[in-house]
Amino acid sequence: MPAITVDDILVLPRVPAPDVTQTERKVTSVTTAPRGFEGEGFPVRRAFAGVDLARLDPFIHMDQMGEVDYGPGEPKGTPWHPHRGFETVTYIIDGTFKHQDSNGGGGLITNGDTQWMTAGAGLLHIEAPPEELVVSGGLFHGFQLWVNLPSRLKMTPPRYQDIRAGQVALLSSADGGALLRVIAGSFGGYDGPGVTHTPIALVHATVSAGAQVRLPWPADFNALAYVLSGQGFVGPARRPVKMGQLAVFGPGDAITFEADGSGSRQDMDILLLGGQPIREPVAAYGPFVMNTRAELAQAFEDYQAGRLGSIPALPADPHPGHDVL
Ligand code: MN
C-alpha cells in the first residue's frame, strides 16, 4: 500500500490520547460493503450500503475502488457524466487515475494523491486510467467519497483541489502505534491540505499489528471507520472488523481501535471520516444530490439543455506546467 509513508513514525508530531474526562464512542453498527461495478465496469465495494443517511451525514456515498490487479487491456474508467449539489473526493492509494472536468479541473491522481472536486452548481466529469496503464494493466486501489453540500452552497461555483501525497499532514498516535495521514479538515490540532465547505475530518490511518489506538474526535462530528486492509477491533466492546467493513460510532468525543496482533500480524489500514451533520432533506438520484425532487428535476433539465457545461475539445494536461500543443 504505497500511499505516503515514513521511515520513523516517532519523529512525527503526536496526537495526544484522550484524557479521562473524554467519552469513548460506542460502535452502533458494523456493515460489510457489497461488491459492485462502477462506470465502464471497474470493481468497487459500496462502503456505506445499508447505513441510514442520517448516520452518514454530511457524507452521502463511498466506493472503495479495487483493490484490483488488472491484466493488460483491462483497466476501466467512466464516460463523461454530470454532477451537481455535492463534492467528490477521490483518493488513490495504488495506481493512477486521470480526471478531467468541464470547469478546467483535472490531472493525474496517483499513489497517495487526492482530487477534491466541488461540483456545486454543476459540471461534467470523466474519470479514466491513463492510456499507458490500460496497455500495461497493474494494481489499482482507491476511494471515492461523496460529501454533501448544504442548501446555501449547492449552487456554489465549481472548485478543484489537487492534493499531492506529499502535502498530507503526517501525525503519530500518542504511543507511535498508528501513522495518521490528515488529508482534509482539522484533526488533533493539525490541518490537512484539503479545504472543506463544512467542518470535516478525513484521515487515513495505518495501525501496526497489535497496536491499540485512542484518539480524540470532535463531539459535534459523526464518526465512521472503514477498514481498507487487515483486521482488528473497534470501540470499547472490541467489535471485530475486517477489510471491507464500516463501523459507525455513536456519541462521545474519543474513538478507539486496535489492529489484530495474532496470526499474520498484518497492519490494519482504516479510513476515518467525520463531519458536522448538515441535517437537511436529501433528494439524491444518480449523479445529483439536492434537497428536493423539484431541484433534481431541474438538474436533469439543466444537464439535458447543456447548462452543466460541455465536453472540452482538448484532453486534460497530464503534466501541469508543460505546454500542451
Ligand atoms: Mn464523477
Side-chain angles (χ1 to χ4, degrees):
M1 192 166 296
I4 191 124
T5 191
V6 291
D7 293 332
D8 183 7
I9 192 172
L10 298 176
V11 303
L12 298 175
R14 298 187 190 202
V15 178
D19 63 39
V20 290
T21 68
Q22 289 177 282
T23 307
E24 204 175 331
R25 290 170 176 249
K26 291 180 177 142
V27 171
T28 58
S29 67
V30 172
T31 45
T32 301
R35 290 162 181 270
F37 291 92
E38 193 49 79
E40 290 163 337
F42 57 87
V44 295
R45 291 171 194 262
R46 311 289 189 191
F48 292 168
V51 181
D52 193 65
L53 265 183
R55 314 299 303 274
L56 301 172
D57 189 5
F59 308 112
I60 295 286
H61 174 85
M62 188 167 78
D63 277 340
Q64 180 179 9
M65 305 186 293
E67 178 174 5
V68 57
D69 195 3
Y70 284 124
E74 287 181 350
K76 293 179 180 67
T78 72
W80 281 96
H81 56 276
H83 291 299
R84 172 181 278 179
F86 68 106
E87 308 183 270
T88 67
V89 180
T90 308
Y91 178 50
I92 298 296
I93 298 168
D94 285 292
T96 305
F97 224 28
K98 189 170 78 178
H99 278 209
Q100 189 181 5
D101 67 58
S102 56
N103 190 50
L108 286 178
I109 327 168
T110 185
N111 298 343
D113 297 336
T114 299
Q115 183 214 49
W116 196 295
M117 186 186 75
T118 304
L123 43 62
L124 305 184
H125 192 211
I126 190 168
E127 306 153 59
E131 276 169 34
E132 60 272 24
L133 194 73
V134 175
V135 171
S136 66
L139 204 55
F140 177 64
H141 189 201
F143 275 84
Q144 188 169 99
L145 171 70
W146 289 16
V147 183
N148 202 3
L149 288 169
S151 59
R152 66 185 169 81
L153 290 170
K154 286 208 180 283
M155 297 300 278
T156 197
R159 181 172 77 182
Y160 180 80
Q161 297 178 69
D162 183 25
I163 302 168
R164 296 286 119 191
Q167 296 173 267
V168 163
L170 296 174
L171 308 172
S172 163
S173 59
D175 66 357
L179 169 63
L180 307 164
R181 304 168 188 84
V182 186
I183 298 167
S186 177
F187 172 73
Y190 293 87
D191 291 331
V195 177
T196 69
H197 278 289
T198 61
I200 283 164
L202 178 57
V203 178
H204 173 190
T206 300
V207 190
S208 301
Q212 296 182 338
V213 182
R214 300 174 64 236
L215 296 175
W217 197 258
D220 58 342
F221 280 19
N222 66 344
L224 310 169
Y226 182 80
V227 183
L228 293 172
S229 67
Q231 57 188 8
F233 308 93
V234 285
R238 298 182 74 246
R239 287 274 293 270
V241 286
K242 62 182 182 188
M243 195 270 278
Q245 291 189 316
L246 178 79
V248 178
F249 291 87
D253 54 6
I255 56 174
T256 51
F257 45 88
E258 175 182 342
D260 192 348
S262 62
S264 64
R265 296 193 61 83
Q266 189 192 355
D267 291 351
M268 178 172 75
D269 272 76
I270 57 176
L271 209 56
L272 301 171
L273 310 108
Q276 269 176 14
I278 293 171
R279 296 199 176 91
E280 290 178 357
V282 173
Y285 191 81
F288 304 123
V289 182
M290 307 303 292
N291 294 112
T292 66
R293 289 178 67 91
E295 290 168 347
L296 273 184
Q298 185 67 51
F300 276 101
E301 198 180 305
D302 287 348
Y303 170 50
Q304 278 156 6
R307 289 191 286 264
L308 267 53
S310 51
I311 297 172
L314 282 173
D317 179 0
H319 304 290
H322 297 257
D323 291 332
V324 172
L325 298 175

